[in-house]
Amino acid sequence: MSRLRNWLIFAAAAALLCLPMSAAADTTVKAKLVEQNGSGVSGTVTLTALGNGRLKVVIHSQGLVPGQPHAQHIHGSAHGGHFGCPTLKKNDTDGDGVLTNEEATGEYGTVFLALTTEGGATPQDGLDVKRMPVADSQGRLDYERTFSAKAVPDGLVEHLSSLHVVQHGIDANNNGKYDMEALGVSTFAESLGVPNIPEEATDPASCGVVQGAGMSGKPRGGVETGGTPAADVNAPLAAAGASLLLMAAVFGVSAVARRLSHSADEGQTPA
Ligand SMILES: [Cu+2]
């Protein structure tokens, strides 16, 4: 009886020790994309921090400029500090009715991870429109990519709940493409060493704040962010249960082994 109790205490302690490990299970946060610059864009973003430091990004959006590439990024920094999407009212400092990146960056932070379709994902890759997703003929864009741990910058997963996702590219003069006539050249792109990019291509089209951004504490699960109930909410407990089972299996096996070796001993005839 006391052996059983000791065993249970040991198993429970072992399960508790396993908890910090299981807390590193998948963490999912969501963001709702809202229009910038009157683009009419809307959508959803799901960021999932997977095991081994990987990051899965899923975006579904509509209302973008059809057939055009849309640069998209996770904005923010390892230090946090930018917790709201910009608004024309607050951030259109030159009052021209168009929110540029320069005006918006103070609000949503700099590029943290460039959401390219392949290859590098650093801020330097942020304007490589050849590797940015293209909206279909209806202006829809569906994006999914899992970034390797190497591609995910330090501090991003730790700040998963204080990030923004921004999609760029608007059609200010409604002619179905990015052109210089509307807003001229992108001084933002120029400042990054990329000349001859229309400002239309770089101005923000949508912005989404990770739900609960700016609040202290851990990223929230799917239920609190208004999505479908996320399995990962219960992951630590499930993992604890699993490790308990595992412990039981290990102990069960050793108990059987002990019994077997005992009976073997008992079965031996004294020499
Ligand atoms: Cu951006």
Side-chain angles (χ1 to χ4, degrees), residues 72-73 75 108 111 166 168:
Q72 49 179 24
H73 316 118
H75 287 241
Y108 56 42
V111 173
V166 180
H168 302 262

Side-chain angles (χ1 to χ4, degrees), residues 2-238:
S2 77
R3 218 173 109 185
L4 176 66
R5 202 179 57 208
N6 287 344
W7 181 86
L8 281 173
I9 290 168
F10 184 85
L16 278 175
L17 282 175
C18 290
L19 265 180
M21 228 166 63
S22 60
D26 299 357
T27 303
T28 298
V29 296
K30 287 171 186 284
K32 194 175 152 200
L33 292 171
V34 295
E35 66 172 4
Q36 300 274 285
N37 281 313
S39 66
V41 176
S42 62
T44 58
V45 179
T46 307
L47 305 175
T48 306
L50 301 166
N52 302 327
R54 289 171 304 147
L55 180 74
K56 184 180 176 187
V57 180
V58 178
I59 298 176
H60 300 293
S61 55
Q62 50 270 315
L64 292 153
V65 187
Q68 294 291 305
H70 288 270
Q72 49 179 24
H73 316 118
I74 292 179
H75 287 241
S77 81
H79 315 292
H82 300 280
F83 299 128
C85 285
T87 62
L88 268 177
K89 197 175 166 194
K90 189 177 163 197
N91 303 99
D92 181 21
T93 42
D94 67 2
D96 68 349
V98 179
L99 199 58
T100 64
N101 264 326
E102 289 95 328
E103 290 168 330
T105 297
E107 204 68 50
Y108 56 42
T110 53
V111 173
F112 208 169
L113 183 71
L115 301 177
T116 48
T117 52
E118 58 179 2
T122 68
Q124 288 72 45
D125 296 299
L127 286 179
D128 189 352
V129 289
K130 290 188 297 297
R131 290 186 293 119
M132 285 298 173
V134 176
D136 71 12
S137 59
Q138 308 300 312
R140 283 196 61 92
L141 191 158
D142 295 298
Y143 173 84
E144 178 174 335
R145 186 174 176 189
T146 298
F147 293 89
S148 69
K150 226 178 93 187
V152 178
D154 288 346
L156 192 151
V157 168
E158 291 80 351
H159 290 83
L160 202 58
S161 59
S162 54
L163 298 172
H164 297 67
V165 174
V166 180
Q167 291 180 309
H168 302 262
I170 60 172
D171 184 12
N173 56 353
N174 293 308
N175 65 352
K177 58 178 184 180
Y178 304 145
D179 60 89
M180 299 285 188
E181 278 103 76
L183 303 170
V185 72
S186 170
T187 51
F188 176 77
E190 276 182 341
S191 74
L192 294 178
V194 190
N196 303 319
I197 299 254
E199 187 187 309
E200 282 190 327
T202 61
D203 283 346
S206 77
C207 178
V209 181
V210 166
Q211 309 237 347
M215 294 155 85
S216 59
K218 290 184 159 188
R220 279 118 234 280
V223 176
E224 288 168 54
T225 54
T228 48
D232 56 88
V233 172
N234 292 318
L237 277 180

